[in-house]
Amino acid sequence: MSIAFLFPGQGSQFPGMLHQLLDHPDVDRTLNEVSSVLRSAVRDLGSEHALASSVSVQLALLTSGVATARALIEKGVHPAVVCGLSVGAFAAAVVADVVSLEDAVGLVKLRAEKMIELYPSGYGLSAIIGLSESQVVSTIQKVATDQVFLANINAPRQVVIAG
């Protein structure tokens, strides 16, 4: 049987996530590496208050993904493939030895900061799961002004709106 490691993107975070990781030396090593790069305790990024920031969320997801994968690999669980959604792609790249953890921390931090800078205040987006593109477009036309629009089609029944 082949094994895949899948790393999630934003939306999968939860308060305390960095305190609920496996009790394993590779987890501790990863947390220490990330803390060293950030020059602060990475576990603090998993608090409810910190997770209000995209920077903290993305760094916490990177850290938890890499830490867990390293522990699993050390226990003999070797993936045939790794992949990640959005920021999860950075954890996948670290686990695949394509990017160093230090570089990934810097890239993810910069990415999240730029996302915040580029995102206009007062706007948002949402993925709608279970409706087709035509159902979403019809609903937008019925209830929304021109301030809401179809932003992306992720899958036949997963459509993103923004506005």
Side-chain angles (χ1 to χ4, degrees):
M1 175 172 61
S2 296
I3 296 171
F5 285 0
L6 310 175
F7 299 92
Q10 257 181 279
S12 60
Q13 72 276 3
F14 59 91
M17 64 186 284
L18 295 174
H19 292 276
Q20 296 182 19
L21 296 173
L22 299 169
D23 181 16
H24 190 277
D26 283 324
V27 170
D28 294 336
R29 179 174 59 88
T30 303
L31 294 172
N32 289 336
E33 283 182 60
V34 175
S35 294
S36 177
V37 173
L38 294 175
R39 296 186 177 128
S40 64
V42 70
R43 284 192 197 256
D44 293 344
L45 299 179
S47 72
E48 187 169 352
H49 175 73
L51 290 176
S53 162
S54 288
V55 176
S56 296
V57 168
Q58 292 187 31
L59 288 168
L61 289 169
L62 169 69
T63 303
S64 63
V66 172
T68 301
R70 284 178 169 178
L72 288 170
I73 290 167
E74 194 280 325
K75 290 286 190 183
V77 180
H78 297 280
V81 65
V82 296
C83 58
L85 171 65
S86 190
V87 73
F90 291 89
V94 171
V95 173
D97 289 326
V98 175
V99 175
S100 71
L101 180 56
E102 180 178 356
D103 286 345
V105 169
L107 289 168
V108 167
K109 185 173 186 289
L110 178 63
R111 173 187 191 261
E113 290 168 349
K114 293 301 179 188
M115 289 172 72
I116 291 168
E117 286 177 28
L118 294 171
Y119 188 75
S121 178
Y123 292 84
L125 60 88
S126 178
I128 299 173
I129 299 171
L131 297 180
S132 68
E133 175 186 353
S134 62
Q135 289 172 308
V136 172
V137 169
S138 175
T139 302
I140 290 171
Q141 291 171 344
K142 288 178 188 171
V143 299
T145 67
D146 60 357
Q147 296 176 348
V148 177
F149 57 93
L150 184 67
N152 197 44
I153 302 165
N154 291 344
R157 293 201 169 273
Q158 185 184 62
V159 182
V160 178
I161 60 171

